[in-house]
């Protein structure tokens, strides 16, 4: 069987318990693409400890359970062929001992679907501890979350300009600082994700009891996410209201493949941002499509939906319904803020890693600064010496090979890889339909643009974005797109949240929509029904 040491060396699990079920689900949004050795070993233990600490803070886990197991089957996450996967069975066990949720609810909210064999087996054995610990942890979290995020913004700007002057010891010290900050932010983010899922469940359950499920996307919109600010500042940059340096100071930690430390951010290469400015420049300040106007409209949409909900309730229950909707909106915004928070730590870490890479080039250890990403975190911190070119070449070749393959959405044991661009699902002809989660309301028709890399794609007004998943760097396409279709995710995934903030229809969790829909086909996206139909 695989061990943690083997996984960190190979970035794979070739022998693992066949009964354990895994998913790419939302974890593919957090850490998309293929890990390098440095990227994975930098965060592996921190992700596991952050997840377990979050559940301990709620009283769900004990202090003794906050540890990193040597067995991947006992961890909340691992990698297969270099790609991140979450342990559905571990999350299901957490749901079974947590009041107010269930295994089926967690699977639906976190991963966008529920396995047919999933059975709720709720137990009250941890309820007394949870009742004692969870309320305080939850009530204190929003202010602490805001404070930590603001501190991370200041910390990033304070260090960026001096990283190129650091020596080895300075890089190691800064990397350790970034790693600790990453773990603290991710701990809060995991707790926020769990609580926001529970609040969303309460809202959707309430709607189901009133036969008003169609209101769910509207009630979960207008929350004020970090991506709304990116969209507005892109517009402001296009209209010369802010400078490029001001934009990258605020949002430069985003970029293509931003969830991987080897990715290139807008701070390092602003070309993808500059290439989108003409689209934003064409949107006048008084246009309904202007980001600020879209945000206001979505707040009004949420208020109208809330009024409809309250009208269907007895007077005594209206105040409680409004509170749940308000809390859900606040925690969904925190969910997006949390992701932005740990990406801030990534930006400092990747800059320090590239500086360390430059020092290793000077020492003759590697040929190029980015080769450092194919060394382990322990090696880098210990002060790697000697020629590592052959090791780097072998790991780079394996990394590049893995980039050509994809994991399934869910599986047990060892997954069957598929070649990128290939799918066993047949392409859709005219009148063909794919279904998914109705994540943001509205109906649009337009040309499908199947996108794998947002930095190299040109969208025209009215095009419908079709992709596997999205991260914040995709937001520059959202203003132009008429709608969004994704393979992965549920109602609280990144793409649907941003689509609701910008008021465009979205269907997510189609599983293979980006492989069944062909680029250039004319399609109808129904964000109310959760369907995508090929028109021609």
């Amino acid at each position: 069987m695989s061990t943690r040491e083997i996984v960190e060396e190979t970035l794979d699990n070739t022998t693992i318990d066949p009964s354990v079920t895994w998913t790419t689900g939302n974890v593919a949004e957090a850490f998309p693409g293929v890990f390098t050795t440095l990227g994975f070993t930098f965060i592996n233990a921190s992700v596991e400890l952050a997840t377990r600490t979050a559940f301990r803070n709620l009283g769900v886990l004990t202090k003794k359970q906050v540890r990193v197991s040597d067995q991947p089957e006992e961890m909340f996450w691992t990698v297969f062929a270099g790609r991140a996967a979450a342990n559905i069975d571990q999350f299901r066990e957490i749901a079974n001992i947590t009041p107010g949720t269930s295994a089926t609810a967690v699977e639906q909210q976190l991963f966008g679907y529920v396995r047919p064999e999933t059975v709720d087996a709720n137990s009250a054995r941890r309820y007394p501890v949870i009742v004692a610990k969870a309320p305080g942890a939850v009530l204190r979290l929003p202010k602490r979350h805001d404070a930590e995020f603001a501190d991370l913004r200041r910390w990033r700007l304070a260090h960026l300009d001096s990283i190129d002057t650091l020596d080895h010891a300075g890089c190691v010290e800064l990397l350790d600082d970034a790693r600790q900050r990453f773990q603290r932010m991710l701990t809060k983010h995991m707790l926020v994700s769990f609580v926001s899922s529970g609040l969303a469940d309460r809202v959707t359950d309430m709607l189901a009891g009133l036969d008003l499920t169609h209101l769910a996307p509207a009630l979960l919109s207008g929350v004020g996410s970090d991506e709304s600010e990116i969209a507005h500042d892109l517009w402001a940059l296009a209209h010369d209201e802010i400078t490029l340096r001001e934009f990258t100071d605020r949002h430069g930690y985003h970029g293509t493949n931003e969830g991987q430390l080897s990715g290139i951010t807008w701070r390092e290469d602003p070309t993808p941002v500059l290439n989108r400015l003409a689209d934003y420049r064409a949107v006048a300040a008084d246009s309904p499509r202007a980001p600020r106007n879209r945000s206001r409209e979505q707040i009004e949409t949420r208020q109208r939906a809330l009024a409809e909900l309250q009208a269907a309730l007895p007077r005594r229950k209206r105040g409680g319904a409004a509170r749940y909707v308000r809390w859900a909106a606040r925690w969904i915004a925190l969910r997006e803020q949390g992701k932005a928070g740990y990406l801030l730590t990534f930006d400092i870490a990747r800059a320090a890693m590239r500086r360390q890479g430059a020092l290793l080039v000077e020492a003759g250890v590697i040929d190029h600064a980015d080769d450092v990403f194919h060394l382990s975190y322990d090696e880098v911190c210990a002060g790697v010496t000697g020629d590592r070119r052959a090791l780097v070449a072998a790991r780079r070749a394996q990394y590049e090979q893995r980039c050509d393959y994809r994991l399934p959405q869910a599986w047990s044991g060892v997954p069957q890889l598929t070649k990128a661009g290939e799918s066993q699902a047949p392409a859709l002809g005219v009148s063909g339909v794919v279904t998914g989660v109705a994540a943001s309301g509205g109906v649009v028709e337009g040309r499908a643009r199947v996108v794998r890399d947002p930095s190299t794609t040109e969208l025209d007004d009215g095009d419908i974005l079709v992709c596997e998943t999205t991260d914040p760097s995709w937001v520059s396409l959202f203003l132009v797109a008429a709608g969004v279709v994704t393979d992965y995710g549920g109602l609280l995934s990144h793409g649907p949240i941003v689509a609701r903030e910008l008021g465009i229809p979205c269907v997510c969790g189609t599983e293979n929509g980006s492989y069944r829909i062909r680029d250039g086909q004319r399609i109808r996206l129904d964000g109310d029904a959760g369907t995508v139909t090929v028109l021609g």
Side-chain angles (χ1 to χ4, degrees), residues 168-449:
H168 168 71
C171 287
V172 170
E173 182 180 1
L174 187 56
L175 282 170
D176 181 63
D177 186 17
R179 196 187 200 191
Q180 291 183 47
R181 289 174 182 269
F182 166 76
Q183 185 173 320
R184 287 199 302 270
M185 188 73 247
L186 190 64
T187 298
K188 293 180 175 64
H189 177 62
M190 292 300 299
L191 194 135
V192 163
S193 296
F194 202 69
V195 173
S196 62
S197 294
L199 288 170
D201 285 343
R202 293 298 295 269
V203 171
T204 54
D205 287 348
M206 178 170 51
L207 294 173
L210 298 167
D211 198 24
L212 294 174
T213 54
H214 64 281
L215 292 180
L219 288 171
L220 300 178
S221 67
V223 302
S225 70
D226 181 65
E227 281 73 14
S228 297
E229 292 305 310
I230 299 175
H232 172 70
D233 283 348
L234 277 168
W235 184 91
L237 177 62
H239 289 263
D240 299 318
E241 293 185 2
I242 61 173
T243 65
L244 180 60
R245 177 57 188 263
E246 287 174 314
F247 180 85
T248 56
D249 278 353
R250 297 175 191 174
H251 311 293
Y253 55 93
H254 292 300
T256 303
N257 213 22
E258 63 188 25
Q260 294 293 340
L261 285 161
S262 56
I264 305 294
T265 63
W266 293 337
R267 169 184 58 80
E268 298 167 293
D269 179 12
T271 302
V273 171
L274 299 176
N275 287 344
R276 298 252 69 89
L277 292 187
D279 295 328
Y280 282 72
R281 200 172 290 121
V283 179
D286 59 353
S287 168
R289 296 176 58 226
R292 281 283 186 258
N293 297 334
R294 288 187 179 209
S295 295
R296 281 192 288 269
E297 172 58 29
Q298 290 311 106
I299 292 172
E300 292 172 6
T301 295
R302 177 155 57 91
Q303 293 303 319
R304 288 193 295 269
L306 177 58
E308 185 175 345
L309 167 61
Q310 289 180 308
L313 289 168
R315 186 178 300 275
R316 68 181 185 282
K317 293 185 178 182
R318 292 174 184 174
R323 281 192 296 274
Y324 272 117
V325 170
R326 184 172 66 251
W327 292 340
R330 170 68 163 135
W331 284 79
I332 290 171
L334 287 174
R335 190 182 179 113
E336 294 300 287
Q337 186 191 72
K339 181 169 185 176
Y342 72 69
L343 289 175
L344 287 165
T345 70
F346 270 24
D347 202 33
I348 289 294
R350 69 165 52 89
M353 289 171 178
R354 287 199 165 100
R355 170 58 181 166
Q356 184 65 61
L359 294 174
L360 292 176
V361 170
E362 292 176 8
V365 175
I366 56 179
D367 285 330
H368 307 286
D370 271 18
D371 288 347
V372 72
F373 291 106
H374 297 291
L375 302 175
S376 75
Y377 181 59
D378 287 345
E379 284 180 294
V380 169
C381 290
V384 59
T385 58
D387 191 333
R388 291 292 191 274
R389 292 178 176 88
L391 175 64
V392 165
R395 286 178 172 171
R396 185 194 302 111
Q398 186 178 61
Y399 168 83
E400 291 173 353
Q401 182 183 47
R402 286 171 170 171
C403 287
D404 289 334
Y405 290 87
R406 297 290 184 270
L407 298 176
Q409 187 169 4
W411 68 93
S412 294
V414 177
Q416 181 177 353
L417 304 180
T418 57
K419 187 83 171 176
E422 295 180 358
S423 175
Q424 296 179 348
L428 290 175
V430 176
S431 300
V433 178
V434 292
T435 61
V437 178
S440 183
V443 180
V444 292
E445 295 181 5
R447 179 180 63 163
R449 293 305 314 274

Side-chain angles (χ1 to χ4, degrees), residues 40-76:
F40 181 67
T41 55
F42 180 77
I43 70 169
N44 184 27
S46 293
V47 172
E48 187 69 16
L49 290 172
T51 305
R52 290 177 176 273
T53 301
F55 290 130
R56 186 202 169 199
N57 291 344
L58 287 174
V60 179
L61 294 181
T62 67
K63 182 179 180 179
K64 203 177 274 190
Q65 290 174 296
V66 181
R67 62 184 182 85
V68 181
S69 174
D70 191 49
Q71 301 302 314
E73 293 92 339
E74 297 176 357
M75 295 178 67
F76 280 92

Side-chain angles (χ1 to χ4, degrees), residues 123-147:
S123 167
R125 61 186 172 85
R126 292 292 297 174
Y127 283 14
V129 182
I130 293 170
V131 168
K133 295 187 69 171
V138 171
L139 290 173
R140 290 189 297 267
L141 185 57
K143 286 186 177 180
R144 291 182 176 182
H145 202 283
D146 288 340

